[in-house]
Amino acid sequence: MQPTTSDKQFQFIERKDLAIRQEALLGKNRSSFQEARERLLKNRLAIAGMIIITSLILMAAIGPYLVPYSYSEQSLLDTDLPPDMQHWFGTDDLGRDIFARTWVGARISLFIGISAALIDLMIGVIYGAIAGYAGGKTEEVMMRFADMLYSLPHLLVTILLMVVMKPGLLTIILAMTATGWIGMARLVRGQVLQLKEMEYVIAARALGASFPRILFKHLIPNTIGPITVAMTLTIPGAIFSEATLSFLGLGVPVPLASWGTMTSDGLVGILTGQPWRILFPAMLISLTMFAFNVLGDGLRDALDPRHRK
């Protein structure tokens, strides 16, 4: 007996309903991390930022070895040469190859930015989490101290510490993180104030969980989203701060190079007709800040719970 048209329609509706149920079941089984990853991969700007950052890190690793010149090698016979097949980015006023110096500068600038962000992360997360969970007078004292430091101009504090301390990479990182962790601490405190009233935290406290266990097991892991976004935005800020210090003559000591020192040294090239001396480091600073900012925006959108289905 041949199935009628109504039977075929009924079977089609059953198959469609089954497919919808299976899709819904798979959606429920997906973790929030998988959903965030899917949303991030759909953000073209964020993916472009990831590609740019990966490319910069790769070139910082291998770039200086692509040319037969050292970043500190001087040749007074090859001063202020424009970009050509021999010197891809040209040379500076001391005959040093700008291509080699640019990618050595990338190592230093990225190292300073990432190191400063990690230190801000460690200090800010622990300080803010303790203040938010402890509450009462402990929170009041801790946050008033943080507010007092926050009221001081960040760049002024950094410059004063750079003048007092011995010049070097460690000095730059410590100077930038002296007050740089406060923003992270305030962010984490606000998150913890909300989370500590959740049922699972109250249950853990009722079961006798210790303060460190609640802090590192329940509270801090649930602030990873905002922390990750804040960190991706902290790195370009630290790189720009290093460039500003180097531009003011307080950067890495010679013969080391960073994008900031190269920008400072190349500024005179605009007036003397060698714009390539400032073009490449300034362009890479801008490109790095753009990449980290669009990646941070993409992570913020991907981790936003309001976008979950």
Side-chain angles (χ1 to χ4, degrees):
M1 182 177 178
Q2 295 291 335
T4 63
T5 304
S6 59
D7 291 337
K8 291 181 178 179
Q9 292 177 346
F10 183 73
Q11 291 174 1
F12 173 75
I13 293 173
E14 279 189 330
R15 288 196 298 268
K16 188 176 181 180
D17 184 61
L18 180 61
I20 292 174
R21 290 182 180 180
Q22 290 176 345
E23 184 178 354
L25 183 61
L26 289 173
K28 290 180 180 178
N29 290 334
R30 289 188 306 169
S31 65
S32 58
F33 173 77
Q34 290 174 324
E35 293 179 359
R37 184 181 61 183
E38 290 179 4
R39 289 194 294 268
L40 180 63
L41 293 177
K42 292 178 182 178
N43 190 321
R44 295 183 179 180
L45 269 179
I47 296 302
M50 292 176 63
I51 294 173
I52 292 172
I53 293 169
T54 304
S55 301
L56 288 172
I57 294 175
L58 179 63
M59 285 302 299
I62 67 173
Y65 304 110
L66 298 179
V67 291
Y69 309 104
S70 169
Y71 73 95
S72 59
E73 179 182 349
Q74 301 180 15
S75 176
L76 298 181
L77 298 177
D78 299 322
T79 58
D80 294 328
L81 294 179
D84 54 23
M85 295 302 296
Q86 185 177 3
H87 299 281
W88 297 344
F89 285 2
T91 61
D92 61 8
D93 56 338
L94 296 177
R96 297 173 296 191
D97 184 75
I98 295 179
F99 183 87
R101 289 180 62 78
T102 296
W103 297 117
V104 169
R107 292 179 180 178
I108 294 176
S109 294
L110 290 173
F111 173 76
I112 290 174
I114 294 173
S115 299
L118 288 174
I119 294 175
D120 289 346
L121 173 72
M122 289 187 293
I123 298 176
V125 167
I126 295 176
Y127 191 94
I130 293 174
Y133 184 76
K137 293 184 178 179
T138 302
E139 178 193 10
E140 187 72 19
V141 172
M142 292 179 70
M143 296 315 298
R144 294 297 76 77
F145 174 74
D147 291 341
M148 181 182 65
L149 293 179
Y150 192 74
S151 65
L152 301 175
H154 175 67
L155 184 59
L156 177 61
V157 174
T158 304
I159 291 175
L160 288 175
L161 290 176
M162 288 292 299
V163 172
V164 172
M165 302 172 68
K166 183 179 179 181
L169 283 178
L170 181 61
T171 301
I172 295 175
I173 295 171
L174 292 178
M176 287 195 297
T177 55
T179 58
W181 56 271
I182 299 174
M184 183 70 73
R186 297 174 74 175
L187 171 67
V188 174
R189 168 187 169 268
Q191 294 292 316
V192 170
L193 285 175
Q194 298 177 2
L195 292 173
K196 73 177 185 178
E197 303 300 331
M198 301 296 287
E199 289 81 359
Y200 62 89
V201 177
I202 297 174
R205 193 184 305 123
L207 291 172
S210 63
F211 174 71
R213 180 176 177 81
I214 294 175
L215 201 64
F216 293 102
K217 182 73 174 178
H218 299 289
L219 294 177
I220 292 179
N222 284 285
T223 62
I224 291 298
I227 288 173
T228 303
V229 175
M231 186 174 177
T232 57
L233 299 177
T234 301
I235 294 174
I239 292 175
F240 188 76
S241 296
E242 181 276 327
T244 303
L245 291 173
S246 298
F247 194 81
L248 295 175
L250 298 173
V252 294
V254 294
L256 292 176
S258 71
W259 289 339
T261 57
M262 293 182 66
T263 303
S264 178
D265 294 340
L267 182 62
V268 69
I270 298 178
L271 303 176
T272 57
Q274 299 94 28
W276 60 86
R277 290 176 52 186
I278 193 174
L279 173 64
F280 296 106
M283 181 179 64
L284 288 174
I285 291 174
S286 302
L287 190 63
T288 302
M289 296 189 68
F290 166 79
F292 275 106
N293 277 284
V294 296
L295 177 59
D297 290 341
L299 286 172
R300 181 194 59 202
D301 295 339
L303 296 170
D304 191 342
R306 291 174 295 180
H307 293 172
R308 295 177 184 173
K309 296 181 180 180

